[in-house]
Amino acid sequence: MADSLVIVESPAKAKTIGKYLGSKFIVKASMGHIRDLPKSQIGVEVENDFQPKYITIRGKGNVLKELRDASKKVKKVYLAADPDREGEAIAWHLAHYLELDEKDDCRVVFNEITKQAVKDAFKNPRPIDMDLVNAQQARRVLDRLVGYKISPLLWKKVKKGLSAGRVQSVAVKLIYDRENEINAFIPEEYWSITAHLTKGKSAFEAKFHSVGGEKKELKSEADVKEMLALMGQNPFIVGEVKEKERQRNPSPPFITSSLQQEAARKLNFRASKTMQIAQQLYEGVDLGKEGTVGLITYMRTDSTRISPVAQEEAKEYIVGKYGEAYMPETPRVYLKKNAGAQDAHEAIRPTSALRDPESVKAFTSKDQFRLYKLVWERFVASQMSSAVLDTMTVDLNGGPVTFRATGSKLKFPGFMKVYVEGNDDGTTDEDRLLPALVPGDTANSDQIEPKQHFTQPPPRYTEARLVRMLEELGIGRPSTYAPTLETIQKRNYVAMEEKKFIPTELGDLVIQLMEEFFPEILDAEFTANMEGDLDHVEEGTQDWVNVIGDFYKSFQKRLDVAEDEMKEIEIKDEPSDEVCEKCGSQMVYKMGRFGKFLACSGFPNCRNTKPIVKETGVQCPKCAKGHVVERRSKKGRIFYGCNLYPECDFVSWDKPVAKPCPSCGGMMVEKRSKGETNINCTVCGHSEQAEEAEEAAE
């Protein structure tokens, strides 16, 4: 007969924990939060120390009745929500509903869902941590004040449906500023000269470096011609040769932001997908005879700390698999990446380094396996020896002009045997070998290749780049990155083009108004300082009411000024060249919740509307009647579909190319991977470089 009730957030977590605890425990799920602020009103009593007015979340009635009935049949109730602010708040709300004493030892936390970790946690229950609860409440109240005070103002002055938020507004501002940088960017010309050389049977390249011993920039074709004239027909004579050994250290184990970035680079996962799959791995996977096991530790963390037990297990695996040489003399310890890191949990790691990816492959989905493999490899590599590279730098002189060749060779792979961190431009580390060269040697020149270049504007933000920037600026915390990216797209403030963020006209308009009347909300430093104050609430060193009160004093003044001075903006309809097929009137462009669309100018007599589409020049491969057009999803993502929808439901996330497959005549689409664009056939798989396809189409 069970004498204890354990409440967690999800059924998957309940299933895993239930197997570990045995028949004396009933384990049930609250299905996340049970109370929240009402959607229909601000729900915060500003004049009463910002006290929140919580209500039971709609649809939770049956779950709550089940939990209340179960709690009456047991002697003890344990609250085992996730080990973070949100989890602590869920536990506090449950304690309130079930009339439990929050000072009683009812709270159980564990960083990993393994049998030993869970059993150890239940030996050491604690009271609910009100500092954590207040930190969560403070964030919720602060976000509610910003959102529910500014949004109605925007509705009144601009149009209904607009909204503003605290962290997401800064994210949109970053994207908006980057777009302005790109638009204002003026390319500058520069040139390079590459010498294609041979020494014996070995071929290698050297780049122009200096003239007369002084570094020189090649800014024009005239500069190039001057250097070539100075070189004349002189042979390339080897000058200074530098050889040295260089060590490369492994990356630290994952934290939330680095996991999201690397999953985007290597697995093409969006931040929300990464966190969804990580949650599944954390809550547990059925491994057959071994039972249900949590495969990774808690995935919302900004700490790179690793427990000694985990380090010992990693050592056992590394030495057993690769040998003593692959293990450093002392275990690696990684410092906190930034001063704001809370260090409340360990880094994200496998719950057992001995459980390699292949051993779980048969029990996991494709995406679960790929993410687990990434986490496992990163952790194991983080505990391994440094890689050792032999590097070589050679100066070659063609008269007074010096070219430089660089090469490297992997001498000892160390951690690179298991894993190498990706990067945003998709380049990889490869050996660039140089032949044996000594001063005085002569190298033969097969070709001298001048090339014109132009400086490039800063790149648009991908999800990975934006997460990294938010982290560097100290904006948001591990649990907020993925929801922030989702929110700014749902509100149509930004759109995704080729997996990069661009601001929409709606986003531009809101940011301009916010900049004028609420500059603090958009100020990265102000927002980061506010995050720091909220962290101090969590640490118990600041009172949450005082933090909110200090913010609200100046915020209310801004609201009053905006109410008086913000002019009503009329978003005028923009005429189009299209004619309404229902009444013959001219169609106009209107701004809607999900961006621009076409509407009949005869409204309200004619209510005809249609989306704005961009032609691709490709016939629909499914129905052969329509043609493929570019569309946007409600989240702002570009996709491609038949213009005869809903008659034809053809859809593609990849951009079609106006050229049939040369092998089978099927539709070709653009595929981007590791910084390169290939054109692949959707039928037979034929693949070619994008440049080749463009030339063929022309």
Side-chain angles (χ1 to χ4, degrees), residues 115 117 138 157 165 209 270 578 583 612 617 661 666 692:
K115 190 171 185 178
K157 302 290 186 177
H209 179 262
R270 303 191 74 188
E578 295 205 32
C583 73
I612 298 169
C661 173
E692 295 174 17

Side-chain angles (χ1 to χ4, degrees), residues 486-498:
E486 288 291 300
T487 299
I488 62 177
Q489 292 175 76
K490 283 180 182 176
R491 289 180 175 168
N492 195 43
Y493 290 162
V494 299
M496 292 287 272
E497 282 191 6
E498 299 178 349

Side-chain angles (χ1 to χ4, degrees), residues 425-443:
D425 60 15
T427 57
T428 56
D429 288 324
E430 295 178 357
D431 285 352
R432 295 184 300 277
L433 300 177
L434 295 179
L437 296 167
V438 297
D441 279 352
T442 300

